[in-house]
Amino acid sequence: MNAHDIEPGAELDLTLLDAQWMGCQLRSLVRVTSTNDKAWEWAAQGAPHGAVVVAVEQSRGRGRQGRRWISPAGVGLYLSMLLRPKAGPSIMAPFSLVVALAVAEQIEAMSGASVGLKWPNDVWLDGRKCAGILLESRSIEAASSDVGPLEGLTPTTPEVSQNPIVAGIGLNVRQPEDGWPLALSQAVSLEEATGLLFDRGGFVAGLLKRVEEAYDLFVTAGFGPFQAAWQARSILRDARVLVHEGDHRYMALALDLDMGGRLRVRDDNGQEKWLQAAEVHLTGTTT
Amino acid sequence: MELDKIRELVQLVEDSQIQELELSNRGETIRISKTGGAHVAAPGPQPVPVVASPAPAAATPAPAAAPAGNAPRGDNLKDISSPMVGTFYRSASPDSEAFVRVGDRVEKGDVVCIIEAMKVMNEIEAEVGGVVREITVENAQPVEFGQPLFLVDVGG
């Protein structure tokens, strides 16, 4: 095991953590506004590539376009990873899908469950959503500070990058005691879906290792090496979907993914399109 | 060279995979480039700057050549364009204030919008400082790589 600089807070057992650089500095917190917010604050102070924030409760968890991610105590696991890639945001975009695949594989490894992925990066179990992922890229001036990498834990990419990324994951581990709010009828927890108890610390350790390996492969080879594994889990394959592209909404048949992680759909006029930025809903469902 | 002929040539370059085209005719040379730095090589009695997209600043003051598509604008107007394919958002969430409005002054490095692709929210910064004269894309609409998003008056 490598030395990791862990600030404990949330009672997570991270003794299994053995990633090389992911989690080289890790802040384990009980309650935060959102782990993405905490990761950005830390990034502005010079946090290194691979710095990780973990929490078990968020007061302002957020999803796409500021949507609220409900994160009550005892229900979830919230984790944000700071990455400082050399490549710009358009090249890094498919990494969003890669993170989802790593989450799916970690759930599978711990439970044997069959996990689905909904493009671009929702993780589904038992026909419902168990994890959401949100990546944010910003141009920030990394402050020169004394919270750089520890000796011997120099990150593999430069400390300062034009467009650092925070990759945030919200995972439903256990269902709320009084059930899911009505608005979350599509939500499910790992324990609900699998009937197993999940060790959150073990989950974090395994996930960080997977994301680290996936990142190192992605920055050299792109999305291609992940395409088949992703597609095998895609719940949209050959499904009827409602596509939102700005104001334009249309029904289509979802097909496959390309080497860049784009989703191919065929609309009712037989026109095929590769989607990069649309929202896609399974017909009759909202997510 | 006739203005119509130049328009035709600009269109030809725009519609093709050609990055740069240079033509000489009776001592007048014209070069059309998609990659910037478009200018007319001397010697020529009447230099005519010709610009395909994107529009770089003309090196020599000259009468407007007005090619189709990207007409030269006032020297002070600069685009902030999209660095990627995605969905354009003027604010961090539907309930929050827009990052910028027409008439606002922005400084280089200010966040002006978010472009989302594959659920990666990318904050886009102003490449230039000045006064926002126009927001050329509606909120939550798809944008292409290089598509102008804002017109900024750098002299404003």
Side-chain angles (χ1 to χ4, degrees):
Chain A
M1 175 177 159
N2 294 287
H4 290 262
D5 178 18
I6 297 172
E7 282 180 33
E11 288 178 2
L12 297 175
D13 177 3
L14 294 169
T15 49
L16 293 173
L17 187 57
D18 70 342
Q20 297 294 310
W21 52 264
M22 186 68 84
C24 58
Q25 290 188 26
L26 190 146
R27 289 182 177 173
S28 168
L29 307 165
V30 177
R31 190 169 194 268
V32 293
T33 50
S34 95
T35 53
N36 270 29
D37 289 347
K38 286 287 160 197
W40 281 120
E41 284 170 20
W42 196 8
Q45 295 162 1
H49 177 67
V52 170
V53 178
V54 187
V56 290
E57 198 182 332
Q58 297 187 119
S59 57
R60 283 208 304 272
R62 54 192 152 87
R64 189 183 223 158
Q65 262 288 284
R67 283 177 204 159
R68 193 165 163 233
W69 181 271
I70 296 177
S71 335
V75 168
L77 178 65
Y78 312 100
L79 183 149
S80 293
M81 299 167 281
L82 173 68
L83 302 165
R84 297 185 179 275
K86 289 178 189 167
S90 68
I91 290 170
M92 291 304 295
F95 187 65
S96 165
L97 281 72
V98 172
V99 174
L101 180 60
V103 172
E105 288 178 341
Q106 182 59 26
I107 296 169
E108 288 165 353
M110 289 179 81
S111 68
S114 159
V115 182
L117 294 171
K118 176 176 167 287
W119 188 89
N121 64 12
D122 286 345
V123 183
W124 281 45
L125 258 179
D126 211 12
R128 288 173 288 168
K129 181 169 167 175
C130 67
I133 292 158
L134 182 76
L135 275 70
E136 295 173 307
S137 108
R138 293 182 185 171
S139 301
I140 53 168
E141 300 281 331
S144 59
S145 77
D146 56 2
V147 289
L150 295 180
E151 198 177 340
L153 282 173
T154 310
T156 52
T157 50
E159 232 189 295
V160 177
S161 114
Q162 286 292 311
N163 291 95
I165 289 174
V166 168
I169 300 167
L171 185 74
N172 302 327
V173 178
R174 187 166 298 171
Q175 59 278 26
E177 275 178 17
D178 39 3
W180 294 105
L182 209 56
L184 296 182
S185 58
Q186 286 286 315
V188 73
S189 74
L190 299 186
E191 296 187 353
E192 219 175 343
T194 64
L196 300 169
L197 287 176
F198 272 75
D199 164 29
R200 293 175 210 214
F203 190 94
V204 170
L207 180 66
L208 294 185
K209 178 86 173 164
R210 282 176 200 279
V211 177
E212 171 181 286
E213 287 171 358
Y215 179 90
D216 287 340
L217 180 58
F218 177 82
V219 294
T220 53
F223 183 71
F226 304 95
Q227 185 189 20
W230 212 102
Q231 203 141 265
R233 292 170 177 80
S234 174
I235 62 165
L236 296 183
R237 184 85 198 238
D238 299 325
R240 290 280 294 165
V241 292
L242 175 64
V243 181
H244 293 202
E245 279 186 285
D247 297 336
H248 187 206
R249 297 183 176 197
Y250 57 93
M251 296 298 299
L253 182 68
L255 302 168
D256 48 358
L257 265 62
D258 74 359
M259 297 282 277
R262 295 181 303 170
L263 177 69
R264 185 164 62 109
V265 297
R266 186 185 303 135
D267 72 15
D268 290 349
N269 300 321
Q271 290 272 348
E272 290 192 357
K273 277 188 86 164
W274 291 103
L275 303 180
Q276 173 126 343
E279 272 193 63
V280 178
H281 300 279
L282 276 168
T283 313
T285 66
T286 50
T287 59
Chain B
M1 201 173 288
E2 294 288 326
L3 201 57
D4 281 352
K5 188 78 183 163
I6 295 170
R7 279 204 189 98
E8 235 181 86
L9 287 171
V10 168
Q11 201 58 52
L12 179 78
V13 171
E14 281 210 333
D15 294 345
S16 73
Q17 300 296 312
I18 302 168
Q19 289 301 311
E20 197 168 288
L21 177 71
E22 189 168 325
L23 282 177
S24 297
N25 189 20
R26 284 180 252 162
E28 198 176 66
T29 300
I30 179 168
R31 188 159 71 101
I32 303 167
S33 168
K34 279 182 181 169
T35 53
H39 63 271
V40 175
Q46 288 178 316
V48 186
V50 175
V51 174
S53 66
T60 321
N70 292 276
R73 302 179 303 248
D75 279 350
N76 287 340
L77 286 181
K78 303 280 182 209
D79 287 330
I80 299 174
S81 53
S82 178
M84 60 197 298
V85 176
T87 305
F88 170 80
Y89 290 111
R90 287 188 56 193
S91 61
S93 73
D95 304 330
S96 51
E97 285 282 303
F99 292 108
V100 290
R101 297 173 186 282
V102 171
D104 284 357
R105 166 167 289 281
V106 293
E107 301 300 331
K108 189 176 177 205
D110 285 354
V111 175
V112 289
C113 65
I114 286 174
I115 307 282
E116 181 202 347
M118 296 181 185
K119 243 169 113 184
V120 186
M121 316 301 288
N122 300 282
E123 285 188 356
I124 307 301
E125 294 182 348
E127 299 146 357
V128 291
V131 175
V132 177
R133 292 291 181 221
E134 194 181 337
I135 300 171
T136 52
V137 181
E138 293 287 319
N139 188 50
Q141 294 306 305
V143 292
E144 296 296 326
F145 175 82
Q147 182 175 341
L149 307 171
F150 301 90
L151 268 182
V152 176
D153 185 346
V154 295

